[in-house]
Amino acid sequence: MTHVINLLYRQLPAIDRLLQEPHIISLVASYGQTQVVDILRKMQEQARMHIREHQALPEWSDDWAASLQRRLDEAQTSALTPVFNLSGTVLHTNLGRALLAESAIEAVTQAMRSPVTLEYSLDGASRGHRDRALADLLCTLTGAEDACIVNNNAAAVLLMLATVAQGKEVVVSRGELVEIGGAFRIPDVMAQAGCRLVEVGTTNRTHLKDYQQAMTLDTGMLMKVHTSNYRIEGFTAEVSGEELAKLGKASQIPTAIDLGSGSMIDMTQYGLPAEPMPQDCLKYGIDLVTFSGDKLLGGPQAGIIVGKKPWIEAIQQHPLKRALRADKMTLAALEATLRLYQNPEQLRQALPTLRLLTRAQDEIRDMAQQLIPQIRAYYRDKFIIRDEPCYSQIGSGSLPVDRLPSWALTFAAIDRRGSTLEKLAHHWRNLKKPVIGRLYDGRLWLDLRCLEDGNALLRALLLNCGDKK
């Protein structure tokens, strides 16, 4: 046995000899000698391990250059792979939420390629504040006195609480103690901010008197949290933002609302369900409002705080602000996105999130019917393929129970085996540009709401249909 293993070891080519092969020389020119040699050493070690375990050379050892090429290509594959989002969720957290508008993409590119006035004032060549330009724009759009931008909404809530109510009590309705993605809970955020949570009311009903009875000399904030990722229905009651603002003003206690989803427009004008807007909260007299940049706003990941100037100035000076601040690329994308709101007549087409949310079902159905003949021709040997109505969801905790009428391509396995569908879904997830659908009710669904280029999907599916069997 040892003799066989030693003979096989001797058949492994030395790295110096491999580096003289023409194909590998070209790979060194493309990828660099350090990376090529590192992978070749790993290949040799894998080959030795295979010999020890199987007393045979690995199959790939017949062509070291080809195997090296595959491994180099895999090593260069980006961790952030573009995909076709046909899951039926428009703002899909795991797929990056909102798609950016072209103007935002151009703004980010410019900020990456050139020095920019991030913290530089052209009026005297002094140091400026990185939030200033966006704060002025947000004030114009929302009516706020001032604004602050950080890297996401959880950070915005944390920073706001740490500034306004650290060491004090924060009064919140029991029905609003939300948990967002990743088991991240409002009570946990408060604890990290050094606040003491005071729960009032019940899960389904909270009244103004509950807030009034909970207030003490230690009360640092009265807070509402918009339940954007669930809804309680039936025998319910909640304190409105306007009522909370009046109570805070009368009691001289700061008030805050965490909106989360961040709609800046009246969604009902587009036939979508109503969602609270920061400008309305500010009109009521709420001191501080927080919301996300990458949900219904349609911009990059960011946390936005708008409200009364004295509180925003205090937030800007808090030590946590530097740790949570947004970078130049986020600020560039956010500014470009917000500027789209200055032209509401063109917003529906210019903002991808709004465009996808408002697509008519008939338009999506027409696309499905155009695609199905060619797709059916390639996959009909193993699948029953139909175009069918379905419902999309907005996603990312926005408008959680509301559905958007859509249209889908569905695949049912002729052999009725779930494993056949799972194999197809797995194959599509491993395409050069993966196709992400959803398995439901014994079928694989491709919801076309987020597909704007049908030909691109055809190229992906029909040029890579080798695993359709």
Side-chain angles (χ1 to χ4, degrees):
M1 184 74 70
T2 302
H3 177 66
V4 172
I5 291 175
N6 287 335
L7 286 175
L8 291 170
Y9 278 167
R10 294 190 188 103
Q11 296 182 43
L12 297 179
I15 290 178
D16 287 344
R17 184 173 71 77
L18 287 170
L19 290 173
Q20 296 174 14
E21 293 188 10
H23 188 181
I24 294 181
I25 290 173
S26 67
L27 292 178
V28 170
S30 299
Y31 296 94
Q33 180 155 327
T34 299
Q35 186 174 192
V36 168
V37 170
D38 182 57
I39 292 180
L40 285 174
R41 284 173 177 162
K42 291 177 181 177
M43 290 171 65
Q44 281 192 332
E45 182 54 38
Q46 290 171 2
R48 293 188 187 100
M49 185 179 299
H50 190 275
I51 290 169
R52 289 195 297 270
E53 293 177 356
H54 303 283
Q55 290 77 54
L57 292 168
E59 291 182 5
W60 53 261
S61 65
D62 291 339
D63 192 339
W64 281 70
S67 181
L68 174 62
Q69 174 81 68
R70 287 194 299 271
R71 293 169 191 241
L72 286 167
D73 290 342
E74 290 172 1
Q76 296 300 312
T77 301
S78 172
L80 300 178
T81 302
V83 304
F84 290 99
N85 175 17
L86 307 184
S87 66
T89 301
V90 178
L91 295 171
H92 199 306
T93 297
N94 297 341
L95 299 180
R97 292 184 178 168
L99 301 180
L100 293 187
E102 287 303 316
S103 59
I105 295 170
E106 292 171 7
V108 173
T109 302
Q110 180 174 297
M112 295 170 67
R113 285 181 171 161
S114 172
V116 294
T117 54
L118 178 64
E119 293 183 353
Y120 186 91
S121 174
L122 295 174
D123 299 334
S126 60
R127 180 167 183 169
H129 196 288
R130 66 173 55 201
D131 289 358
R132 189 65 265 152
L134 267 73
D136 291 341
L137 183 53
L138 282 162
C139 290
T140 299
L141 293 170
T142 67
E145 294 179 9
D146 206 351
C148 171
I149 299 97
V150 289
N151 60 2
N152 64 22
N153 190 52
V157 175
L158 174 67
L159 180 57
M160 175 185 70
L161 290 169
T163 303
V164 179
Q166 188 172 40
K168 298 181 180 180
E169 297 173 346
V170 178
V171 184
V172 184
S173 166
R174 283 190 175 88
E176 298 174 359
L177 296 178
V178 303
E179 175 181 306
I180 59 177
F184 197 74
R185 300 175 174 180
I186 284 292
D188 297 335
V189 179
M190 288 193 181
Q192 289 297 318
C195 305
R196 299 191 299 277
L197 170 64
V198 177
E199 304 175 25
V200 297
T202 62
T203 302
N204 61 318
R205 291 178 69 82
T206 299
H207 305 280
L208 190 63
K209 65 181 180 181
D210 295 319
Y211 280 90
Q212 293 170 324
Q213 293 170 358
M215 292 189 303
T216 69
L217 293 175
D218 286 333
T219 301
M221 179 182 286
L222 306 177
M223 185 176 180
K224 273 185 68 65
V225 180
H226 176 48
T227 55
S228 60
N229 60 355
Y230 70 96
R231 183 175 296 171
I232 299 174
E233 297 180 338
F235 187 59
T236 64
E238 67 172 300
V239 176
S240 69
E242 188 170 8
E243 291 176 305
L244 192 69
K246 289 179 180 178
L247 178 60
K249 185 175 181 180
S251 308
Q252 296 187 321
I253 297 175
T255 54
I257 297 181
D258 171 26
L259 291 181
S261 56
S263 175
M264 291 264 289
I265 55 173
D266 178 7
M267 304 296 285
T268 62
Q269 66 181 303
Y270 298 104
L272 297 169
E275 186 78 356
M277 298 183 291
Q279 49 266 52
D280 289 340
C281 299
L282 296 171
K283 286 179 183 177
Y284 300 150
I286 294 294
D287 293 298
L288 293 166
V289 181
T290 64
F291 54 98
S292 296
D294 58 345
K295 294 184 180 180
L296 290 178
L297 183 67
Q301 177 180 297
I304 300 169
I305 312 172
V306 293
K308 301 291 176 61
K309 192 173 187 65
W311 286 122
I312 295 293
E313 288 178 344
I315 288 170
Q316 294 283 17
Q317 294 169 12
H318 194 283
L320 270 178
K321 171 62 199 304
R322 186 172 183 85
L324 302 175
R325 67 185 181 177
D327 72 340
K328 66 177 182 179
M329 290 174 284
T330 297
L331 294 174
L334 183 58
E335 180 181 7
T337 302
L338 291 172
R339 293 205 178 280
L340 295 176
Y341 284 82
Q342 295 179 308
N343 185 1
E345 294 80 10
Q346 299 297 321
L347 185 62
R348 184 174 186 171
Q349 283 305 311
L351 193 68
T353 294
L354 189 58
R355 187 171 66 243
L356 296 176
L357 290 177
T358 58
R359 285 185 77 189
Q361 187 182 39
D362 288 349
E363 176 191 340
I364 305 171
R365 181 195 60 199
D366 290 346
M367 172 177 280
Q369 292 175 349
Q370 291 170 12
L371 294 174
I372 197 168
Q374 296 183 65
I375 293 177
R376 186 177 280 159
Y378 276 84
Y379 290 92
R380 64 187 174 191
D381 56 341
K382 288 294 183 180
F383 301 96
I384 300 169
I385 306 168
R386 298 191 176 99
D387 65 286
E388 303 185 49
C390 65
Y391 285 93
S392 308
Q393 61 181 2
I394 294 171
S396 290
S398 302
L399 303 166
V401 299
D402 297 289
R403 297 292 183 265
L404 307 174
S406 188
W407 213 269
L409 300 178
T410 66
F411 295 72
I414 292 176
D415 62 13
R416 298 185 180 181
R417 293 180 180 176
S419 59
T420 302
L421 282 179
E422 289 172 1
K423 182 180 179 182
L424 181 64
H426 180 268
H427 170 63
W428 284 350
R429 290 195 303 270
N430 285 276
L431 298 178
K432 185 175 182 180
K433 184 173 182 179
V435 175
I436 310 298
R438 64 186 177 97
L439 290 167
Y440 171 72
D441 195 27
R443 285 174 289 176
L444 177 55
W445 295 71
L446 300 183
D447 185 329
L448 304 183
R449 172 167 291 278
C450 293
L451 180 69
E452 296 188 283
D453 185 352
N455 289 330
L457 179 64
L458 285 176
R459 288 193 295 271
L461 295 182
L462 304 188
L463 293 178
N464 298 277
C465 58
D467 211 16
K468 66 179 181 179
K469 298 178 181 179

